[in-house]
């Protein structure tokens, strides 16, 4: 059951790219917006829209994502305010347990998890006593690696479009 969510996002991004290549722009914008609704990472593909000077379309996608997200929170029991507050609380718990702590370390597949596993291999069970600055340095390095990978991917796509 791990990673299934990302598979859907990759499929939706595939539809975005194929529709964009076929110049079916309205369809492609729908798929890009939908993938961003599921996870913010596909927003990196805005580079393509900005490259082709599609500023209104990019703004429309962003505004749509914000409105649909707000409506989703508002439609749940408790309304917008309570659900947004609860989501932010849960994100804080996730950061404490998974991002900073080592809960679920053996089940992850992220670059951050790989970095924490490297630290754990050197420090053993004393991973929680490791200085937070070391974690942040590893995180920064891995973030730059992933950023440059996605940037390279987008630039490569622009040359082929």
């Amino acid at each position: 059951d791990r990673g299934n969510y990302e598979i859907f996002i990759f499929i939706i991004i595939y539809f975005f790219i194929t529709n964009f290549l076929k110049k079916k722009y309205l369809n492609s914008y729908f798929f890009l917006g939908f993938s961003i609704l599921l996870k913010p990472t596909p927003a990196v593909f805005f580079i393509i829209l900005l490259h082709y000077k599609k500023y209104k379309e990019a703004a429309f996608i962003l505004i749509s994502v914000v409105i649909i997200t707000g409506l989703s929170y508002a439609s749940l029991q408790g309304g917008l305010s309570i659900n947004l507050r609860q989501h932010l609380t849960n994100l804080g718990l996730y950061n404490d347990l998974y991002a900073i702590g080592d809960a679920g370390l053996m089940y992850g597949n992220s670059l951050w998890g790989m970095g924490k596993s490297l630290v754990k291999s050197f420090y053993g069970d004393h991973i929680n006593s490791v200085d937070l600055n070391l974690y942040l340095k590893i995180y920064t390095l891995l973030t730059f690696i992933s950023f440059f990978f996605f940037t390279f991917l987008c630039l490569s796509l622009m040359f082929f479009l």
Side-chain angles (χ1 to χ4, degrees):
D1 67 352
R2 304 283 177 192
N4 292 337
Y5 196 56
E6 281 79 13
I7 291 171
F8 291 121
I9 294 170
F10 290 135
I11 292 169
I12 295 168
I13 290 171
Y14 167 78
F15 287 129
F16 159 69
I17 292 171
T18 55
N19 279 289
F20 196 85
L21 290 174
K22 293 178 182 178
K23 299 186 188 307
K24 295 181 179 179
Y25 296 120
L26 189 59
N27 292 345
S28 68
Y29 303 147
F30 168 77
F31 287 116
L32 180 60
F34 188 58
S35 65
I36 294 170
L37 278 170
L38 295 174
K39 197 168 197 172
T41 310
V44 73
F45 288 101
F46 271 112
I47 294 172
I48 295 172
L49 297 179
L50 298 177
H51 173 74
Y52 285 99
K53 297 180 179 23
K54 305 251 184 219
Y55 304 118
K56 287 190 291 188
E57 292 83 351
F60 176 75
I61 291 170
L62 284 176
I63 291 168
S64 299
V65 166
V66 169
I67 289 172
I68 292 170
T69 302
L71 290 174
S72 299
Y73 283 128
S75 68
L76 297 171
Q77 182 180 2
L80 176 69
S81 175
I82 291 174
N83 287 307
L84 183 59
R85 193 174 323 120
Q86 187 61 43
H87 186 184
L88 294 175
T89 301
N90 289 341
L91 286 176
L93 291 171
Y94 174 84
N95 286 337
D96 291 342
L97 295 173
Y98 292 100
I100 295 173
D102 62 348
L105 186 59
M106 300 321 231
Y107 306 106
N109 58 0
S110 66
L111 288 173
W112 175 241
M114 181 183 74
K116 289 194 323 183
S117 296
L118 290 173
V119 170
K120 188 172 177 90
S121 68
F122 290 113
Y123 290 93
D125 291 331
H126 304 291
I127 191 169
N128 290 330
S129 64
V130 175
D131 185 19
L132 186 60
N133 287 328
L134 178 61
Y135 277 130
L136 293 176
K137 288 177 185 176
I138 291 171
Y139 178 74
T140 303
L141 175 67
L142 296 175
T143 301
F144 278 121
I145 290 169
S146 62
F147 173 76
F148 287 119
F149 171 76
F150 280 114
T151 304
F152 175 75
L153 175 68
C154 286
L155 291 174
S156 299
L157 285 172
M158 282 192 283
F159 286 115
F160 292 113
L161 294 178

